[in-house]
């Protein structure tokens, strides 16, 4: 694939970079180091700017009002958008809008009216509820939540864990077993309103993340109308799988953006920090860390743009997206770790964004499918077979 950016891509990347550095970063200087939101007036002002730049709702398909930016350019933009303190948690604090839950683009017209359009207007929030206490790596086997047909609807019983944002969501895209005999072909996807009787956020799960966000959910005799089945009965696993593959590309891009920013900080720091009578930049041990960072960044960037280009061309990109996610999340962790080491004691403080990136980058080796599962996906594609 061609790695040289077009003039248009260069301009877009430059304007997002300026936006992040001139608008977002100065505001962060006055926020709590773990903040995940801007003050409402700042948010509103910056959303207006993003709209006037023609970059609002980047991931929304053109037919639903998005600006129609191709996936490679969106990936380049995602790399830029992550280059600030909250970049792994809230890239640009959502001022460029978001696609929300892409599964809803495939919903029927009634469901679009009730969930998709309100979500795109910012009136409703959703969450994605797949993982259960019995395991997230292999949801096809681990899903124990059941949905049993009852008259013109379904009755849901079970539990979910690690669900991001369910405590603030209006609805949950929820996967449940509808045929216990059929394995992955016995799972159905439901849109569950969080105010339906029987839905409960049992607990907030505290993680390395900067703010509490993961939740445990409980469904106790929750009645769902058939109108809330998303897609076909017993075909829900394909919906989950599709989302997981697509999300791996922006997920990788976020890791690359943070790694790029950390590397810039390191290069700047080593030119000025003196030890033993000379600047750190003259020490081979330090130079090699900088070089290793660059190798990690470029490898991740190339793999991620390659996955995006394949997806954009409509080719199979499962292996490439898994490879990009695996390499970028692991490489990003190494880069941030080296840059902390280069900054010595300052690298451990909350004065710098490094310790926040360190925590949030660690999650990225598990979230959206752990590294081992990415390897499993690639091995299946490379060798063939359905081993686990
Ligand atoms: C902060 C956070 C937010 C999350 N948000 C969401 C969300 O919004 N929605 C949602 O549905 N889920 C969410 N998750 C869940 C996440 O997707 C799962 O944690 C992940 O898929 C792993 O599942 P698990 O934790 O059950 O680990 P397990 O499946 O129990 O695996 C444990 C370990 O064993 C490894 N392993 C598993 N199988 C194999 C194998 N065959 N060979 C070798 N190693 C193996 C895994 O890689 C992992 O390291 C979130 C998780 C976190 C931490």
């Amino acid at each position: 694939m061609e790695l040289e950016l077009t003039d248009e891509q260069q301009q877009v990347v430059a304007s997002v970079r300026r936006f992040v550095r001139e608008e977002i970063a100065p505001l962060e200087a006055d926020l709590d180091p773990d903040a995940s939101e801007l003050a409402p007036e700042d948010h509103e002002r910056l959303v207006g700017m993003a709209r006037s730049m023609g970059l609002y709702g980047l991931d929304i398909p053109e037919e639903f009002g998005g600006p129609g930016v191709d996936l490679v350019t969106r990936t380049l933009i995602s790399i830029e958008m992550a280059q600030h303190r909250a970049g792994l948690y809230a890239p640009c604090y959502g001022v460029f809008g978001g696609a929300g839950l892409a599964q809803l683009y495939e919903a029927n017209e009634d469901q679009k009216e009730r969930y998709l359009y309100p979500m795109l207007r910012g009136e409703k929030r959703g969450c994605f509820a797949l993982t259960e206490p019995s395991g997230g790596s292999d949801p096809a086997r681990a899903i124990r939540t059941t949905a049993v047909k009852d008259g013109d609807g379904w009755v849901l019983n079970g539990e979910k864990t690690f669900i991001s944002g369910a405590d603030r969501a209006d609805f949950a895209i929820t996967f449940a077993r509808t045929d216990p005999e059929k394995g992955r072909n016995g799972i159905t996807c439901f849109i569950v309103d969080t105010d339906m009787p029987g839905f409960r956020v049992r607990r907030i799960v505290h993680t390395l993340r900067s703010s509490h966000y993961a939740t445990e959910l409980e469904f106790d005799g929750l009645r769902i109308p058939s109108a809330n089945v998303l897609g076909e009965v017993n075909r829900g696993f394909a919906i989950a799988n599709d989302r997981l593959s697509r999300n791996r590309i922006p997920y990788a891009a976020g890791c690359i953006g943070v790694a790029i920013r950390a590397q810039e900080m390191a290069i700047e720091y080593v030119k000025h920090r003196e030890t033993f009578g000379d600047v750190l930049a003259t020490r081979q041990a330090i130079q090699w860390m900088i070089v290793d960072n660059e190798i990690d960044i470029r490898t991740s960037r190339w793999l991620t743009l390659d996955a995006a280009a394949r997806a954009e061309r409509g080719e199979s990109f499962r292996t490439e997206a898994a490879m990009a996610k695996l390499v970028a999340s692991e490489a990003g962790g190494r880069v941030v770790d080296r840059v902390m080491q280069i900054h010595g004691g300052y690298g451990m403080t909350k004065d710098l964004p490094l310790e926040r990136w360190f925590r949030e980058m660690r999650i990225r080796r598990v979230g959206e499918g752990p590294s081992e599962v990415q390897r499993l996906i690639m091995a299946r594609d490379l060798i063939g077979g359905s081993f686990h």
Side-chain angles (χ1 to χ4, degrees), residues 127-362:
C127 64
F128 183 82
L130 177 67
T131 306
E132 303 203 358
S134 46
S137 298
D138 181 18
R141 280 186 191 73
I143 288 180
R144 303 206 175 138
T145 293
T146 56
V148 176
K149 191 91 175 83
D150 183 39
D152 183 33
W154 298 80
V155 178
L156 200 67
N157 281 291
E159 52 188 344
K160 298 280 175 187
T161 192
F162 295 127
I163 308 308
S164 300
D167 52 329
R168 294 182 250 163
D170 300 289
F171 63 92
I173 304 279
T174 304
F175 297 84
R177 197 164 290 288
T178 36
D179 189 334
E181 308 297 322
K182 287 196 185 154
R184 65 178 52 207
N185 294 321
I187 293 166
T188 301
C189 181
F190 296 91
I191 311 174
V192 174
D193 292 307
T194 55
D195 62 1
M196 284 174 170
F199 181 96
R200 188 162 82 91
V201 175
R202 191 163 57 195
R203 187 168 82 91
I204 300 289
V205 183
H206 294 274
T207 67
L208 290 167
R209 261 184 182 167
S210 308
S211 73
H212 66 259
Y213 203 57
T215 59
E216 274 179 16
L217 306 181
E218 192 176 280
F219 312 112
D220 182 11
L222 189 152
R223 291 193 65 84
I224 320 170
S226 290
N228 280 33
V229 171
L230 185 61
E232 285 177 51
V233 172
N234 290 337
R235 291 281 171 269
F237 191 71
I239 297 177
N241 240 355
D242 185 61
R243 148 171 163 140
L244 292 171
S245 283
R246 286 184 186 281
N247 262 23
R248 286 178 186 132
I249 296 172
Y251 207 73
C255 300
I256 299 164
V258 159
I260 288 173
R261 186 72 196 104
Q263 170 80 329
E264 283 177 0
M265 288 171 62
I267 291 174
E268 179 137 330
Y269 191 70
V270 300
K271 287 181 186 164
H272 300 105
R273 182 68 173 180
E274 288 191 18
T275 65
F276 300 94
D278 209 344
V279 290
L280 286 176
T282 62
R283 316 294 181 194
Q284 195 175 53
I286 300 289
Q287 293 164 359
W288 285 16
M289 283 200 254
I290 303 266
V291 170
D292 288 345
N293 282 350
E294 197 61 25
I295 293 168
D296 274 334
I297 290 167
R298 291 193 195 190
T299 314
S300 310
R301 187 171 176 276
W302 191 89
L303 288 172
T304 304
L305 291 175
D306 179 52
R310 280 170 182 268
E312 183 67 28
R313 290 195 298 266
E315 294 170 15
S316 154
F317 64 98
R318 193 168 59 162
T319 289
E320 288 74 16
M323 202 178 288
K325 192 272 178 187
L326 167 73
V327 172
S329 59
E330 299 206 338
R334 289 193 295 270
V335 170
V336 171
D337 186 59
R338 289 188 200 107
V339 176
M340 288 175 92
Q341 193 68 16
I342 287 170
H343 281 77
Y346 296 108
M348 309 300 126
T349 69
K350 286 184 183 283
D351 294 349
L352 300 179
L354 294 165
E355 69 80 35
R356 180 171 179 175
W357 290 339
F358 184 78
R359 284 182 283 123
E360 291 176 347
M361 194 71 89
R362 182 63 187 84

